Amino acid sequence: MAGVSQTTVSLVLGGKTGGAAISEETRQKVVGAAESLGYVPDPAARRLAAARNNLLGVFSFTATFPTDVQHSYYPFLVGVEQEAAAQGYDLVLFTGSSPGGTGGGTHALHRARLADGCLILGRHAPTAELCRLVEEGFPVVHLGRRDEPEGPAWVGADYVSASREVVQRLVELGHRRIVLVRDDDEAPASTDREQGFREGLEEAGLPVGPETVFRSADPARELTSDRVREWVAGGATAFVAEETDTSAAWRALNAALAGAGLDCPGDVSLALLGSPPPDAADGPTPAGFDIPRAQLGAAAVRLLAALVAGEQASEPLVACTFRPGDTLAPPRRTQPQAPDPSPGPSAPGRGRNRNTRTEQGEPTQ
């Protein structure tokens, strides 16, 4: 229909010229003929011919695939989709919650081989299975830093620098006793935040001991209002919590402070090492830093496309932006105390300011 050879059609529809000089007029003839015929390239045939099908997989290890705009992973997918379109790839979505997924083994991950390569999302993706795919030469990129030297390539945010800056801001306000609340696991996102937190304390000349970090496998149960009161009585004036998929540490910290009757930022300051959960939009914006999720998704696609093409590539850590928020203030001169009971007539002097003035205007002692 276009009046050209099969080779020319293949070069035009494949987006490559292979060194051949193909005019724009010829290219338009081929594209027009394909559109009029309703021709769509067959991915299976392309895979047989070129061992590639221009499909990138996205595999999630969350309970359900994060397509809800209120889900913390949704912005990642926006960046993934936009960059995949710019790179000329289509996407295939996989989920670890399907039969054979994380609930019943890791066999579902093998289905990712339907694509040319795969992006992996999830805080706790299976290390052994990902390393096996890499060993077999399948391009894999994990969205989030990984520790395994022989594991998949990854892209990540610079949580260390961002967490260090949050501590620096608190120190500039005058806080000298700061407590970090985090999940009790060794996920790189958590360890990076703690590293930045400790570096911030060290740079300020503040003590860095075990009492400065509270780790819990179940923050909702173990982080109590009594524990918060003990920290405050011991001089703590600021608290920071890490962000995770569930925001468990942040939610538990807020609940404990409310149970202790402590106001923020009047009594204590708060900071969140990450972006606030969507359901917290009605409350005060917590200070901390924002994770550039869309940029991370786009960077992951660029890296995966390079690996699929057989290129050596890496992506730099993506910087996070500090968020001033509404939960920071200088520490109070004295620590907040539980309110005294109402003074009775037999308790002279109680309920009266110690520095009141007499009728002559002289202060009492």
Side-chain angles (χ1 to χ4, degrees):
M1 178 178 280
V4 297
S5 69
Q6 179 179 329
T7 300
T8 300
V9 172
S10 297
L11 291 173
V12 171
L13 296 184
K16 298 181 179 180
T17 62
I22 299 177
S23 68
E24 179 62 21
E25 179 182 2
T26 299
R27 194 188 73 81
Q28 290 295 341
K29 285 182 180 180
V30 173
V31 172
E35 291 177 350
S36 64
L37 290 171
Y39 170 78
V40 177
D42 185 333
R46 279 189 164 183
R47 189 177 184 89
L48 289 172
R52 288 172 54 184
N53 56 22
N54 282 357
L55 296 177
L56 299 182
V58 182
F59 196 105
S60 170
F61 281 94
T62 54
T64 56
F65 201 84
T67 55
D68 188 334
V69 296
Q70 296 299 311
H71 197 290
S72 62
Y73 277 3
Y74 182 79
F76 287 127
L77 298 179
V78 172
V80 167
E81 180 184 23
Q82 292 176 344
E83 187 63 27
Q87 296 278 344
Y89 285 95
D90 290 315
L91 297 175
V92 182
L93 307 182
F94 303 91
T95 173
S97 63
S98 60
T102 53
T106 55
H107 299 295
L109 193 55
H110 290 292
R111 291 196 295 272
R113 291 180 176 278
L114 295 171
D116 294 330
C118 193
L119 299 179
I120 305 296
L121 292 86
R123 182 177 173 89
H124 298 293
T127 298
E129 195 67 23
L130 292 181
C131 289
R132 186 175 300 114
L133 287 175
V134 174
E135 291 173 1
E136 294 171 356
F138 183 68
V140 179
V141 172
H142 185 262
L143 224 166
R145 189 176 71 79
R146 305 285 296 187
D147 283 327
E148 308 86 25
E150 303 300 326
W154 54 267
V155 297
D158 189 357
Y159 293 141
V160 175
S161 298
S163 299
R164 184 170 59 241
E165 182 179 2
V166 170
V167 175
Q168 291 169 346
R169 299 293 183 112
L170 287 166
V171 171
E172 289 171 0
L173 287 172
H175 295 279
R176 295 296 179 267
R177 174 81 192 280
I178 308 167
V179 177
L180 167 66
V181 177
R182 55 160 292 190
D183 282 1
D184 187 21
D185 63 28
E186 295 304 322
S190 294
T191 57
D192 283 355
R193 286 177 169 93
E194 180 175 339
Q195 178 184 338
F197 172 80
R198 291 181 177 275
E199 288 180 3
L201 294 179
E202 291 173 350
E203 290 178 1
L206 300 179
V208 182
E211 70 282 355
T212 61
V213 178
F214 176 79
R215 298 176 55 149
S216 173
D218 186 3
R221 182 174 60 85
E222 298 177 357
L223 184 56
T224 64
S225 55
D226 287 339
R227 186 181 295 273
V228 168
R229 289 192 188 97
E230 292 176 2
W231 282 330
V232 172
T237 60
F239 297 88
V240 298
E242 69 162 339
E243 179 202 1
T244 61
D245 297 350
T246 62
S247 298
W250 175 248
R251 297 180 194 279
L253 178 58
N254 276 273
L257 290 171
L262 295 171
D263 175 65
C264 172
D267 295 326
V268 294
S269 288
L270 290 180
L272 175 61
L273 303 183
S275 303
D279 57 6
D282 295 336
T285 301
F289 59 79
D290 288 316
I291 301 171
R293 288 182 165 88
Q295 293 94 313
L296 284 168
V301 171
R302 288 194 298 269
L303 178 55
L304 183 59
L307 295 178
V308 168
E311 302 171 359
Q312 294 291 329
S314 63
E315 286 281 340
L317 288 173
V318 180
C320 300
T321 304
F322 179 77
R323 182 182 60 251
D326 307 312
T327 57
L328 298 187
R332 299 175 64 173
R333 290 178 179 270
T334 57
Q335 290 301 299
Q337 302 292 333
D340 289 334
S342 300
S346 60
R350 298 193 65 180
R352 184 176 61 195
N353 191 326
R354 295 184 61 196
N355 230 9
T356 56
R357 294 183 177 273
T358 64
E359 293 181 0
Q360 291 77 21
E362 295 297 326
T364 60
Q365 298 298 320

